[in-house]
Amino acid sequence: MLAAARTAFAERGYDGASIRAIATAAGVDPALVHHYFGTKDALFLAAVQLPADPDDFLPEVLAAPPDQLGAAVVRTVLRVWDGPARPGILALVRSAVNHEWSARLLREFVLARIIRRVVGTLDMPVAEREARGALVASQVMGLVMARYVLRLEPLASARPDDVVAAVAPTLQRYLTGEVDLSGRRD
Amino acid sequence: MLAAARTAFAERGYDGASIRAIATAAGVDPALVHHYFGTKDALFLAAVQLPADPDDFLPEVLAAPPDQLGAAVVRTVLRVWDGPARPGILALVRSAVNHEWSARLLREFVLARIIRRVVGTLDMPVAEREARGALVASQVMGLVMARYVLRLEPLASARPDDVVAAVAPTLQRYLTGEVDLSGRRD
């Protein structure tokens, strides 16, 4: 059921995927889906959170020495996105672009469960960590959009090692180089 | 009618915005919208293409010297997104994330009418220009997602000058620094 839900949410988005169609694809009765997951929201959360549990890939990133953190982040992003979790994460991204509640969900999830843990390895004030984390998130999200959603060539077909070589210096500078986002606009 | 369409597409996405609702918001009869634009597709194109005509902002970017190109790109992206065109562009981004045809439309538009003209100012082989253009697009799209869609702080509230200072070196390296995406994965 979760596999069918992930495929349906990824292909048709949150609004377009119906519990009825998901049940049909999974070969079960819609009542069974309702019984197990209750609402479509709960099914969505179960579908999108399971395929890419940060606990599965973060330890490798967190184990990297500070001057290798940028490369470790890119390498792990590519490994997760090139793996079986892609449809589920894509569903989350699609939903986040369409629904304010889902954007909030994704932002909180990415901030609390990924970014803060990565920049938490750096010895600096919290505000500076948050700024660096937001910049890292911007390049990671853009890489994902360009390579996996819009499929911009040659980035979409490039070897992971070449993508790491091209993008890791950006993340490394955002993490440990000179950046300052402390000013706020009026 | 176009202003109402832009607002409707931005707030509700391509599928959620109806010609009837757009006509009501514009204070006209739906038949008039059909008369002027024909299909919802045509209305969408008219709505999203007009607010940010590359001819309005590209000359400024193209006039920058090669070593200032990265800063010129970020500055212009922020100016366009902080201006009245935002709802229209946001509608295009939302649609692109949801519809393969729309992703193709956005990709072709961004590639042909923006990226190729920016990297066209650089004296290098076409394949290298395309690779650099894709990397630039990845950081620009990610910046837009982080600052305007997910509103990640402190990036969302940062002063434009600080964002330029933080992100321009990334784009400058992608444009004129050492990067190589020529290898393809198997």
Side-chain angles (χ1 to χ4, degrees):
Chain A
M1 274 186 276
L2 283 172
R6 280 195 285 274
T7 303
F9 284 129
E11 285 178 0
R12 295 192 282 277
Y14 180 80
D15 289 330
S18 70
I19 286 194
R20 181 184 305 269
I22 290 167
T24 302
V28 301
D29 193 86
L32 194 66
V33 179
H34 280 292
H35 172 74
Y36 272 112
F37 297 102
T39 64
K40 188 165 150 183
D41 273 13
L43 175 61
F44 177 72
L45 283 178
V48 298
Q49 287 193 335
L50 285 181
D53 188 336
D55 290 333
D56 291 340
F57 58 78
L58 263 188
E60 184 179 321
V61 176
L62 300 180
D67 66 338
Q68 297 291 317
L69 201 49
V73 169
V74 189
R75 201 173 297 282
T76 300
V77 166
L78 297 180
R79 190 163 53 76
V80 171
W81 274 88
D82 284 329
R86 192 193 306 185
I89 318 176
L90 201 49
L92 191 59
V93 171
R94 290 200 156 120
S95 182
V97 172
N98 284 287
H99 305 280
E100 178 53 35
W101 68 265
S102 186
R104 208 173 307 134
L105 182 79
L106 180 60
R107 183 176 55 213
E108 292 311 311
F109 179 84
V110 170
L111 269 178
R113 300 205 52 200
I114 303 180
I115 296 179
R116 287 202 183 115
R117 288 162 73 184
V118 172
V119 297
T121 62
L122 303 172
D123 183 23
M124 54 183 66
V126 171
E128 187 179 341
R129 275 192 215 150
E130 298 266 312
R132 293 177 182 276
L135 288 167
V136 167
S138 80
Q139 175 62 89
V140 168
M141 283 191 290
L143 174 62
V144 162
M145 286 287 290
R147 182 172 165 96
Y148 300 107
V149 180
L150 291 184
R151 298 182 179 281
L152 272 186
E153 292 295 357
L155 198 48
S157 302
R159 287 189 304 240
D161 282 352
D162 291 339
V163 178
V164 171
V167 175
T170 296
L171 298 192
Q172 194 60 48
R173 180 174 153 269
Y174 289 160
L175 288 164
T176 57
E178 280 199 23
V179 293
D180 182 7
L181 281 182
S182 57
R184 302 193 137 232
R185 50 183 173 181
D186 306 325
Chain B
M1 276 186 274
L2 284 172
R6 279 195 285 274
T7 303
F9 283 129
E11 285 178 0
R12 294 192 283 278
Y14 180 80
D15 289 330
S18 71
I19 286 193
R20 181 183 308 267
I22 290 167
T24 302
V28 301
D29 193 86
L32 194 68
V33 179
H34 280 292
H35 172 74
Y36 272 111
F37 297 101
T39 64
K40 188 166 151 182
D41 272 14
L43 174 62
F44 177 72
L45 284 177
V48 298
Q49 287 193 336
L50 286 181
D53 188 336
D55 290 333
D56 291 340
F57 58 78
L58 263 188
E60 183 180 321
V61 176
L62 301 180
D67 66 339
Q68 297 292 317
L69 202 48
V73 169
V74 188
R75 200 172 297 282
T76 300
V77 166
L78 296 180
R79 190 164 53 76
V80 170
W81 273 89
D82 283 329
R86 193 194 305 185
I89 321 177
L90 202 49
L92 191 59
V93 171
R94 291 201 155 119
S95 183
V97 172
N98 285 288
H99 304 281
E100 179 53 34
W101 68 265
S102 187
R104 208 175 304 132
L105 182 78
L106 181 60
R107 184 176 54 213
E108 292 311 312
F109 178 84
V110 170
L111 268 178
R113 299 205 52 200
I114 303 180
I115 296 178
R116 288 202 182 114
R117 287 164 73 186
V118 172
V119 297
T121 62
L122 303 171
D123 183 24
M124 54 183 66
V126 171
E128 188 179 339
R129 274 192 217 152
E130 299 266 313
R132 292 177 182 276
L135 287 167
V136 168
S138 80
Q139 174 62 86
V140 168
M141 283 190 292
L143 174 62
V144 163
M145 287 285 290
R147 182 172 165 96
Y148 300 106
V149 180
L150 290 184
R151 299 182 179 280
L152 272 186
E153 292 296 357
L155 199 47
S157 303
R159 286 190 304 241
D161 282 353
D162 291 341
V163 177
V164 171
V167 175
T170 296
L171 298 192
Q172 194 60 47
R173 179 174 154 269
Y174 289 160
L175 288 164
T176 58
E178 279 199 23
V179 293
D180 181 8
L181 281 182
S182 57
R184 303 191 137 233
R185 49 182 174 183
D186 304 327

